[in-house]
Amino acid sequence: IYRDADKHLSVFEVDGRKHRAFCQNVCLLSKLFLEHKFLKYDVEPFMFYVMTEWDSFGHHFLGYFSKEKESPDQYNVACILTLPPYQKRGIGRLLTEFSYELSKKEDKLGSPEKPLSDLGARSYHSYWTDTLLELLIEGEKKGEQLNVNDLSKKTCMKVDDIQATLQKASVIGSTKRNPQSIVIPDNLKKEHNQRMQRITTHIDPLKLHWTPAKYR
């Protein structure tokens, strides 16, 4: 459903009902590296999104995330894993970014299944912070004053996740005139710009060819 010829990256959608053995094996593989992972043999309610890097030898499994076909809590990720040989390459961030691109296609707000592991919480906080600061800084340049609801509509992140992220980054204040005022200090803008220069790969929405399935 996704192919980036420049970066040699692809993402495959695998239905747990149609490819039960493969998805069960992916869950078994995850159990080796995720202490909090509960082993589920009932994979039919889930879709699996597998990211690969391809070369002349074929496709190499980098990581994946699973997602409930129908989540009453609006979770867009149930489990996420980057295989150890490919960690520290930003694959986890790409998988997270991809999960939100799917949420945008569905026109639904999304959030990872809670509670998050310590590593998962750090990873998501980093992604949320960078994504929100980028929008706020760009909006500021255009003379726009984005609020939490604006950010939610643009990113498909849940309002609770946005508020918690901005509060942790100390950019959302509480004043009598504007209880949700957002102010980004210059030093935080500088740190953000330096960090974004190191992130060279992003999900290109134009390369995502996917239509949300209807299960009812």
Side-chain angles (χ1 to χ4, degrees), residues 49-66:
Y49 296 88
V50 178
M51 181 170 285
T52 68
E53 185 176 50
W54 43 274
D55 55 23
S56 58
F57 293 99
H59 287 264
H60 307 278
F61 190 120
L62 303 180
Y64 87 101
F65 69 88
S66 60

Side-chain angles (χ1 to χ4, degrees), residues 61-187:
F61 190 120
L62 303 180
Y64 87 101
F65 69 88
S66 60
K67 174 182 177 179
E68 280 187 281
K69 294 175 181 177
E70 295 182 281
S71 173
D73 298 306
Q74 293 183 305
Y75 291 142
N76 63 1
V77 167
C79 182
I80 186 169
L81 170 74
T82 303
L83 290 181
Y86 305 107
Q87 291 176 2
K88 306 297 182 182
R89 289 180 46 185
I91 302 301
R93 173 180 285 261
L94 284 175
L95 289 168
T96 301
E97 187 176 346
F98 191 85
S99 72
Y100 279 103
E101 290 300 330
L102 296 185
S103 293
K104 291 174 185 177
K105 287 274 192 179
E106 293 175 310
D107 195 23
K108 294 180 181 178
L109 300 183
S111 184
E113 188 173 313
K114 310 295 193 306
L116 291 168
S117 65
D118 292 341
L119 179 60
R122 289 196 299 271
S123 177
Y124 265 92
H125 176 70
S126 174
Y127 171 76
W128 286 334
T129 300
D130 287 340
T131 301
L132 295 172
L133 287 180
E134 188 71 11
L135 285 172
L136 289 167
I137 292 170
E138 288 300 314
E140 190 177 275
K141 291 176 182 178
K142 298 175 183 177
E144 300 174 348
Q145 291 186 330
L146 300 176
N147 59 36
V148 170
N149 290 327
D150 295 328
L151 293 169
S152 182
K153 290 176 183 177
K154 286 177 176 290
T155 62
C156 282
M157 297 178 189
K158 297 184 88 170
V159 168
D160 289 348
D161 292 331
I162 293 173
Q163 288 178 326
T165 300
L166 295 180
Q167 286 170 355
K168 189 170 182 179
S170 301
V171 300
I172 188 168
S174 179
T175 64
K176 292 182 179 179
R177 181 175 297 179
N178 186 356
Q180 296 295 328
S181 60
I182 299 173
V183 180
I184 307 174
D186 289 338
N187 66 315

Side-chain angles (χ1 to χ4, degrees), residues 10-12 14 22-31 33-34 37-40 43 46-52 61-67 77-83 91-92 94-96 98-99 124:
S10 293
V11 177
F12 295 86
V14 186
F22 174 85
C23 294
Q24 287 176 341
N25 286 335
V26 169
C27 290
L28 285 167
L29 181 66
S30 303
K31 184 65 176 173
F33 308 110
L34 300 175
K37 172 69 175 174
F38 292 104
L39 190 57
K40 290 185 178 179
V43 295
F46 296 88
M47 299 296 285
F48 290 72
Y49 296 88
V50 178
M51 181 170 285
T52 68
F61 190 120
L62 303 180
Y64 87 101
F65 69 88
S66 60
K67 174 182 177 179
V77 167
C79 182
I80 186 169
L81 170 74
T82 303
L83 290 181
I91 302 301
L94 284 175
L95 289 168
T96 301
F98 191 85
S99 72
Y124 265 92

